[in-house]
Amino acid sequence: MLPIAILGAGLAGLTAARELRAQGLPVIVFEAGAAVGGMARSFQDAEGFTYDFGAHFINNRLAEALGAADICRTVKHYGEAVAIDGRSCSHPFGLLAKPGFVVSALRAKLRARVVKTAEDWFRQSYGDALAEHVAMPLAEAWSGAPASLLSPAVGDKFGAGLLKSLYLSAAARVSRRAVCNGYSHEMPESAGIYHVYPEGGLAALLEPMVRALGDTVRLESPVEKIVVENERVVAVRVKGETIAVSAVISTAPVPVLPKIVEGTHALDHLASFRYRPMVFVNLKFEGRGILPDTMLWTPDRSQPFFRVTEAPISMPWLAPEGKTMVTFDIGCEVGDEHWTLSDEALAERCLAGFAKLYPGIDTRYLGAAGVIRTPYAYPVYLAEYETARRRFAETTGVAGLYSIGRNGEFAHILMEDVYWRTLRRMTDVMAYVGATRRERLDVTEAQKPRSAWGWPRKAALPAGGVVA
């Protein structure tokens, strides 16, 4: 039986490989890098400061599903705040205490608004005041586009309703654990689902799957081409070698697919899909508890960053005792000023902005720990290609080609949702491969001519890439 090719050895790719192998299907995982993990990476400097590749949230349910529960520590506290007019407000309770926000939100509920853009959605959901001072500035910072040009689908990324949020917040206080609140949309959140963090860093979560897959994972093996014939995947090309396959599962960013697929123009329109590049700047300080809580949102458009995170508030083991690490998230574009600035200049700019929030903080500054740049941080839901995005959420348009994971689905999803959605997607892959195998057995050479790859030239099979 021809193998199923999986592009990428991150959480989605390894989950797909493990599930398909458990069902008796042959797989090969092609990873372009020298190590598995994708964006699930952690770094540590010589002083013992540890930071991740962006923000990752793991809960006990996901850790158990991955077979890594025994290496995870419980996170006892997690909270968010918003910096407004020189003061910080806790989220959501502090915002609810501002009369102007509450009155504006109530007025929005009393009037009907036609929702065509993200701006309409924010104004209808939160009221004009909160939308203009908090929600839209933040959405525009992480998307790089005006809210008036974004699809209202950006609202899909936000969590449970107010009552559920209040319940989960109360459960966190009672249980003294960082109960998940709005971080999973595929599975129910409750008082028993809380944040954890793996000893050894994020990649340690994937080690049980890597061991189970063994030599199925091929490192430093970028897929150069996905070969399509008659709108059906037939092979992949890796290091100049062409390998016949029964299906391809990609975790690559959506705009990359048209560049590596040959034999069809069905994916050409995906080249217009945009991701927001990001720069993450990690700075070290004396003391701890600089921020009012673990994460501080900064809707002030004059700041270079829109989010600041002090992870050691929740996970003290990430920094030496008596010291802390603060991460600054900067939205940018590849090649612009923030993308091209030196690490030293970025650190100075973040420190200067931070001093506006906390005067005198520069006296506690210990230096930069590291700067990370990624061209694919957040999918940008522009209204102009919303119809195409929704169509892609149903099918790639090429039989046997599936796109999974945060980047592959072009979706605002976190780690646990990636896992459960990938598992569900594999039922579609198994159905397709099973149907194809039966067809190959039923159709003889005399009845229907075959291509050089051994596939029937015409077949009524379902297209791949279901991304429900």
Side-chain angles (χ1 to χ4, degrees), residues 275-346:
Y275 285 81
R276 178 64 158 163
M278 295 288 296
V279 176
F280 303 103
V281 182
N282 298 281
L283 304 184
K284 299 178 286 189
F285 294 89
E286 286 281 2
R288 190 165 291 181
I290 297 173
L291 298 184
D293 221 319
T294 313
M295 186 179 291
L296 179 68
W297 297 94
T298 55
D300 180 356
R301 298 173 192 261
S302 69
Q303 291 283 18
F305 45 81
F306 66 90
R307 180 170 63 183
V308 187
T309 306
E310 187 178 355
I313 289 179
S314 293
M315 296 165 282
W317 55 84
L318 296 182
E321 187 174 353
K323 299 178 181 180
T324 195
M325 173 86 71
V326 178
T327 302
F328 299 82
D329 295 13
I330 302 175
C332 59
E333 297 297 331
V334 174
D336 72 6
E337 181 185 14
H338 284 128
W339 184 266
T340 56
L341 274 177
S342 67
D343 291 359
E344 295 76 14
L346 281 169

